[in-house]
Structure formats: C-alpha cells, structure tokens
C-alpha cells in the first residue's frame, strides 16, 4: 500500500497535460457550489497512479486495469493506493472508505 | 491559454458530440508531455509513460470540448498491450454507445482504440473504455 496526497504541482501538471481545467479540480468554492465538499482529484489521474503502483510489481507485461469510481476523491487528503498482486484487486481508500475500486488482469500470463 | 477560465470558455460536449464518429485523432506527445506526466505521478525520469494512453484517449473522447455540468465518470477500463517508454505519436479512434438509466440519465460508454505510430510500422498500444453518466437533457446538439 502506498500513501498518496496529490500535491498542487501534480494536479496542475495533470491538468495541463490532459487539458482538463475543470474547476471541480482547482476551485474549492466552485466545487462546493456543485454540491461537493471541496475540490476533487481527477479520476484518470488516480487511475494512472494505480497503474504506476501496479507497474512496480509487473513492469513489462500487458495488463487490463478496470476501475469504478465510487466516491469523489478529496484534494488535500492522504489516500491509500493499493494493489494486491495475489487477488488482482486495486483500490484507492480514504479512512477505510473505498473511493475507487477495481481489478488488474494480466495479458498473456 | 490555460486554467479554469480558459476551460470554461470551451464548448460543452453534448451527447450527440460524444456519439459522433470523429475519425482518427492523432496526437504527438513530446518530451515536455512526458515530463508533465512524470511530475503528475511523482515518478523519476525512468518512470513508464503508459498513462499517456489514458491522456490520449480522453483528449480524443472530448475532441476539444468539455464535459457538461453534472457529468460523472463512473469507470475506466484500460487495456495496455505494451509499455510505452518514450514520447510517442498516438492515433485514437472512438466508438460510443449510449443507453438511458432509470433516472433518465444517459450512460455513455466510449471505447478508444490507440495505436502507436512508428516509422517502422504502427503498433497496437492500448484500449481505453470510459463510462460516463450524463444528466438528463444532455442530448441536445451543442
């Protein structure tokens, strides 16, 4: 399991790379007006972070990562990002609550 | 230009836009893009660039538009055939389907097929499938 608190630099870099400047990710007041508790982390960034964790265990093999976004990931919180190689299950959690869940399948094992 | 103000000036993608055939969208990722990716993930200079597939897929999906207010991404399925170790030219082709859920929301599933364009021959790179829920009434043309 790895702890991950997305930094402002990481969020800005992802926003610039993906051309996604949705204010939900950058403007706390905007996010609250949309019914959220505050800014939220990009779902695709969380997936990419999960993939980086997976790659630590499976560096060169083709993989399928399939995730569901259960709840918004709040900016400023320490998230638990985990890949269980035995079960193939991945998740992003906050205080034991699943925010993102999914599976990893190896191609041509 | 960049940032939320710039983003909010971009046209909103309607359901018809997401379902339309946009043909093949090509994108060349540069060393700067690779650096941005590694920064966003906290990787060192040797970090794998596989996630450029997800970025390329999302850019092709929206084709310069932004998601409508209230749209929710509920899932991504990412099949990466090969590791990507250097910045690349990537071609993307989208196919979308939609259905209506019990609350009148459109459930849009878009599969993006990605190919790495190489001088010595194109290679299958990845398939990225996005599932979104769009609010009721998001079907009108942009």
């Amino acid at each position: 399991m790895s702890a991950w608190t997305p930094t402002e630099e990481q969020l800005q870099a992802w926003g610039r790379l993906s051309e996604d400047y949705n204010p939900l990710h950058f403007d706390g007041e905007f996010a609250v007006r949309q019914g959220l508790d505050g800014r939220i982390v990009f779902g695709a960034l969380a997936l990419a972070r999960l993939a980086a964790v997976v790659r630590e265990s499976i560096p060169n093999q083709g993989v399928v990562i399939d995730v569901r976004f259960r709840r918004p990931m709040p900016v400023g919180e320490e998230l638990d990002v985990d890949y269980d190689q035995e079960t193939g299950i991945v998740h992003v959690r906050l205080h034991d609550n699943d925010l993102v869940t999914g599976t990893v399948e190896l191609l041509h094992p | 230009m960049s940032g939320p103000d710039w983003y909010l000036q971009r046209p909103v993608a309607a359901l018809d836009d997401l379902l339309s055939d946009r043909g093949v969208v090509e994108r060349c990722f540069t060393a700067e893009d690779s650096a941005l990716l590694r920064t966003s993930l906290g990787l060192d200079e040797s970090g794998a660039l596989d996630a450029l597939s997800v970025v390329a897929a999302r850019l092709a999906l929206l084709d310069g538009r932004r998601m409508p207010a209230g749209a929710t991404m509920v899932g991504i399925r990412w099949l990466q055939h090969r590791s990507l170790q250097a910045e690349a030219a990537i071609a993307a082709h989208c196919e979308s389907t939609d259905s209506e859920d019990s609350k009148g929301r459109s459930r849009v599933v878009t599969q993006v097929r990605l190919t790495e364009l190489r001088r010595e021959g194109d290679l299958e790179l990845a398939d990225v499938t996005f599932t979104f829920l769009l609010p009721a009434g998001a079907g009108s043309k942009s």
Side-chain angles (χ1 to χ4, degrees):
Chain A
M1 184 185 303
S2 67
W4 179 46
T5 307
T7 65
E8 202 59 42
E9 183 185 30
Q10 290 174 345
L11 296 170
Q12 291 285 343
W14 185 266
R16 185 170 165 191
L17 174 65
S18 61
E19 297 180 12
D20 184 358
Y21 291 101
N22 190 324
L24 292 176
H25 308 300
F26 296 102
D27 185 336
E29 290 179 3
F30 180 93
V32 169
R33 289 198 300 272
Q34 304 308 308
L36 298 167
D37 292 335
R39 296 165 58 191
I40 58 174
V41 179
F42 302 91
L45 173 58
L47 171 61
R49 180 72 182 201
L50 276 168
V53 172
V54 170
R55 275 286 175 232
E56 291 173 1
S57 303
I58 315 170
N60 295 311
Q61 198 166 347
V63 295
V64 181
I65 304 176
D66 194 350
V67 299
R68 291 291 175 268
F69 300 102
R70 306 290 180 188
R71 300 182 188 183
M73 292 169 283
V75 170
E77 297 280 358
E78 182 177 281
L79 305 171
D80 292 329
V81 180
D82 190 42
Y83 165 51
D84 185 325
Q85 194 169 2
E86 273 192 37
T87 62
I89 291 175
V90 291
H91 67 242
V92 178
R93 285 187 180 146
L94 175 63
H95 306 317
D96 295 327
N97 292 314
D98 283 333
L99 306 183
V100 183
T101 60
T103 58
V104 175
E105 180 187 332
L106 303 183
L107 295 180
H108 320 299
Chain B
M1 289 183 65
S2 63
D5 290 341
W6 167 79
Y7 178 84
L8 291 174
Q9 293 174 29
R10 297 168 78 173
V12 174
L15 178 60
D16 290 343
D17 297 317
L18 297 175
L19 299 178
S20 68
D21 183 358
R22 295 179 283 290
V24 175
V25 177
E26 292 185 10
R27 174 84 178 209
C28 288
F29 287 98
T30 63
E32 181 184 358
D33 294 321
S34 299
L36 284 172
L37 178 68
R38 288 175 171 139
T39 296
S40 68
L41 296 177
L43 302 176
D44 63 26
E45 289 183 2
S46 65
L49 299 174
D50 292 358
L52 285 180
S53 295
V54 179
V55 175
R58 194 176 183 283
L59 289 170
L61 165 72
L62 291 173
D63 196 22
R65 289 179 165 82
R66 56 186 169 96
M67 294 302 288
T72 306
M73 185 164 63
V74 296
I76 303 177
R77 183 179 185 274
W78 175 15
L79 189 165
Q80 186 79 11
H81 294 287
R82 302 174 302 102
S83 282
L84 195 58
Q85 295 298 331
E87 52 270 15
I90 297 176
H93 183 257
C94 302
E95 285 187 16
S96 297
T97 59
D98 74 310
S99 58
E100 189 172 293
D101 73 1
S102 59
K103 298 179 183 177
R105 297 177 300 184
S106 292
R107 184 182 186 90
V108 179
V109 179
T110 299
Q111 181 180 30
V112 186
R113 289 210 152 88
L114 299 169
T115 305
E116 184 182 356
L117 304 176
R118 307 175 75 181
R119 197 171 301 171
E120 54 271 25
D122 301 341
L123 290 175
E124 193 177 35
L125 179 62
D127 291 336
V128 184
T129 302
F130 296 95
T131 302
F132 285 93
L133 286 177
L134 301 187
S140 56
K141 284 192 181 295
S142 60

